[in-house]
Amino acid sequence: TTMAEIAAVLAEKGQEIPIDVPFPERTTIGGLAATGFAGPRRLLSGSLKDAIIGCEYVRGDGLVAKAGGLVVKNVSGFEIPRFLHGSWGALAVLTSINLKVSPRPRSEATVQAEWRDVAAAVASMHELARRIPSLAAIGIEVGDGSVISSCRVMGREEAVNATVEQIAAVLAADRAVIPTSESREFWQEYVNAWAPPRSGTQVVIGVRPSEVGGTVNAIRAALAGADRRATLSIAPGLGSIRVRLAAGDDDVPIWPLSRLGELPELTTGVLESGPDSVRKAADPWGPRPQGLALMAEIKRQFDPGNILNRGRLFI
């Protein structure tokens, strides 16, 4: 079932699943659950994992099982639904999931600002997140000579207007406010751009939110030294950095994966898309994490014959 279908049904009742997804007319609920994708609204609303309260699945040995329930108060036992979220089908095949829904915000707005450099933008967005915990999403786009931040506010109209005024009081940069209808369109296009490109290379890097600024500077310095340009999409509150290089620059994009050891501690990296030459040069899943033996044992418990999506998640 596509997210567009689900959104249309829920909208009739003033409800929603509070996540952003690229191309909702093509993105399926099963694909979201399997990949663990989460858009910018994760800052306030969490990911799909936080909405799953039950599921049915088929293990690698053919066992059909259920976990969780249909209402939150009846959910007990092992958190299998949340466990399968983001497992890329390597543990089991999800056949159905039960989701809790949320009221659809009546109004929203987006406040944009342009900055001299990335460090100033990241610092300002972190300050906003500390002062205004109700922000729905924060994003920073870094292109050729431009750094633009976007803050999304959602809720009742009065509350949205008041929060926009708070943001304006904090920002020390030129700003513009995008109203409700245009704001929704803006963020849909923003998330669409997160989808892996058909050509070129895209890497997503995860760090502590406090390490975002330094990591971005390190990435840009390395690419500049190699005479390569890239566009970056940064979620400073989530510690997520997407790096996209145009087709043909396939000798440098492996840098964020092959040299993660030089970035801040606890850095992770995943190659979301890229040509075969890049995939052969670096592990698409980045450095191997601690606890790999435990991951392998969990894989064996769910899929003793190792028939489900082999090679995913290091196992």
Side-chain angles (χ1 to χ4, degrees):
T1 306
T2 66
M3 285 301 297
E5 292 177 275
I6 294 174
V9 172
L10 292 178
E12 294 176 359
K13 302 293 185 181
Q15 299 173 328
E16 67 166 7
I17 299 173
I19 60 173
D20 292 316
V21 302
F23 305 107
E25 68 280 359
R26 300 203 307 264
T27 298
T28 65
I29 194 71
L32 281 175
T35 61
F37 179 89
R41 289 182 67 183
R42 178 185 167 199
L43 180 68
L44 179 65
S45 303
S47 66
L48 188 69
K49 177 173 66 176
D50 300 296
I52 299 176
I53 57 175
C55 71
E56 180 184 79
Y57 59 96
V58 182
R59 299 193 326 189
D61 57 5
L63 176 70
V64 179
K66 292 184 178 180
L70 288 172
V71 292
V72 177
K73 64 180 292 185
N74 285 345
V75 175
S76 61
F78 295 112
E79 282 280 18
I80 299 297
R82 296 167 65 90
F83 191 69
L84 296 179
H85 174 271
S87 65
W88 287 84
L91 301 179
V93 178
L94 281 168
T95 54
S96 70
I97 59 175
N98 311 331
L99 300 166
K100 62 180 179 181
V101 297
S102 304
R104 192 167 187 258
R106 299 181 182 181
S107 178
E108 71 168 80
T110 296
V111 182
Q112 289 190 311
E114 191 165 357
W115 302 87
R116 300 183 310 276
D117 54 59
V118 177
V122 171
S124 183
M125 293 305 102
H126 281 161
E127 180 64 18
L128 275 178
R130 282 191 290 268
R131 293 195 186 190
I132 311 173
S134 60
L135 291 177
I138 299 175
I140 300 174
E141 293 288 289
V142 182
D144 290 336
S146 66
V147 180
I148 299 176
S149 66
S150 303
C151 300
R152 191 176 191 181
V153 184
M154 308 178 79
R156 294 180 178 270
E157 185 174 359
E158 298 83 357
V160 168
N161 292 337
T163 304
V164 167
E165 292 181 4
Q166 282 184 275
I167 295 174
V170 175
L171 292 181
D174 293 335
R175 54 191 177 275
V177 179
I178 304 175
T180 297
S181 60
E182 296 175 29
S183 175
R184 288 174 180 153
E185 293 176 3
F186 167 80
W187 285 100
Q188 185 58 65
E189 293 176 1
Y190 183 92
V191 179
N192 286 350
W194 280 25
R198 294 182 181 275
S199 62
T201 301
Q202 180 165 296
V203 175
V204 60
I205 294 173
V207 296
R208 293 188 182 99
S210 61
E211 302 284 0
V212 166
T215 304
V216 169
N217 288 336
I219 293 171
R220 297 181 77 194
L223 293 174
D227 195 25
R228 293 292 186 269
R229 294 182 177 180
T231 57
L232 280 70
S233 292
I234 307 166
L238 302 176
S240 173
I241 306 165
R242 275 182 167 79
V243 185
R244 178 177 293 185
L245 287 96
D249 290 345
D250 55 2
D251 55 334
V252 174
I254 62 171
W255 177 86
L257 293 181
S258 62
R259 294 175 61 186
L260 281 176
E262 299 178 19
L263 295 178
E265 188 181 0
L266 295 182
T267 300
T268 63
V270 174
L271 179 66
E272 292 189 312
S273 64
D276 290 341
S277 58
V278 176
R279 293 184 174 278
K280 293 176 181 178
D283 191 329
W285 296 98
R288 292 180 173 266
Q290 295 181 348
L292 199 60
L294 178 60
M295 293 172 65
E297 176 59 20
I298 291 171
K299 166 71 170 176
R300 188 188 68 80
Q301 294 280 345
F302 276 83
D303 180 23
N306 192 29
I307 64 173
L308 297 177
N309 222 359
R310 282 175 275 185
R312 292 291 190 183
L313 302 180
F314 310 101
I315 51 180

